[in-house]
Amino acid sequence: MKRLALLGSVLALAFVGCGLISSPPIDNPFQLNGTQTTFNLGPSAAATGTASVTATFDDLTNLNLPANPSSFSYNLAISSVSFGAGCPATIPSPINVTMSATLTVSDNGGTGGAQRSSTASASNVQFTITTSGSQVTVGNLTNGTLNLNVGQILPIIQNGGQNTATLNATVNTTSTPDLAGCAMTITWGGGQGVLRF
């Protein structure tokens, strides 16, 4: 029995060393849930638009870390998509979207401190928009993981006061008819942060 307990401890340490153990997901770590980004899609068949959104959030003081994390990843989430001025009277379905996204998280380092920041990008995020009458559904979000430098991000989100997260994104849409000239608004979900050990 003692041997089994010892083996379990050794395996747990090995898994920690290999980055195979992760924290419970940290929901909405950057307070992006409900924020909106409107893309004015350019006049081309692969309608393209670029926009950004910024959110502020307090330090995460309840992170109980059993060991030094080896990585921090953030998984993008999209709550909904809506369409506005310049869009076809009947929104096409499906709409295939490819997106590049860059997230920068920063703070001022506390009283009198210099600004600290950490940035990560994802270049081939893909999702599908389907419509049925007035119902618009977002699905099949892939490649939406942004890997932040764990040594940079942890001090920012754990101490130093209020923080800022800025998400910049460029979208390319493909549909028939195309969405050239259309205003498309993404409402972001909170997403999840994951620490690996």
Side-chain angles (χ1 to χ4, degrees):
M1 197 61 149
K2 287 182 179 178
R3 286 182 180 177
L4 286 176
L6 179 60
L7 178 60
S9 299
V10 170
L11 286 175
L13 288 172
F15 287 149
V16 166
C18 294
L20 296 177
I21 293 178
S22 62
S23 69
I26 306 164
D27 291 324
N28 196 24
F30 307 128
Q31 297 302 305
L32 289 167
N33 188 44
T35 61
Q36 294 185 322
T37 306
T38 298
F39 299 88
N40 294 306
L41 303 175
S44 65
T48 301
T50 299
S52 65
V53 67
T54 298
T56 57
F57 63 100
D58 294 328
D59 287 332
L60 305 179
T61 57
N62 58 349
L63 295 179
N64 299 316
L65 306 180
N68 289 326
S70 59
S71 68
F72 182 96
S73 60
Y74 174 68
N75 299 311
L76 288 170
I78 297 174
S79 291
S80 63
V81 173
S82 60
F83 298 91
C87 299
T90 300
I91 301 298
S93 184
I95 302 166
N96 296 310
V97 183
T98 301
M99 176 172 62
S100 60
T102 299
L103 176 70
T104 299
V105 181
S106 62
D107 74 356
N108 64 5
T111 304
Q115 186 180 58
R116 305 176 293 184
S117 67
S118 184
T119 299
S121 297
S123 60
N124 191 34
V125 184
Q126 296 184 18
F127 59 95
T128 303
I129 302 168
T130 55
T131 61
S132 177
S134 61
Q135 184 74 32
V136 179
T137 304
V138 178
N140 304 319
L141 177 63
T142 58
N143 303 322
T145 299
L146 295 96
N147 296 304
L148 292 146
N149 181 308
V150 69
Q152 293 174 343
I153 191 65
L154 279 185
I156 293 169
I157 64 176
Q158 286 189 292
N159 58 69
Q162 194 172 66
N163 312 294
T164 301
T166 301
L167 181 63
N168 293 289
T170 298
V171 297
N172 294 282
T173 65
T174 305
S175 61
T176 305
D178 65 55
L179 297 180
C182 176
M184 182 179 80
T185 299
I186 291 178
T187 300
W188 299 98
Q192 293 183 326
V194 177
L195 285 160
R196 293 194 180 276
F197 299 91

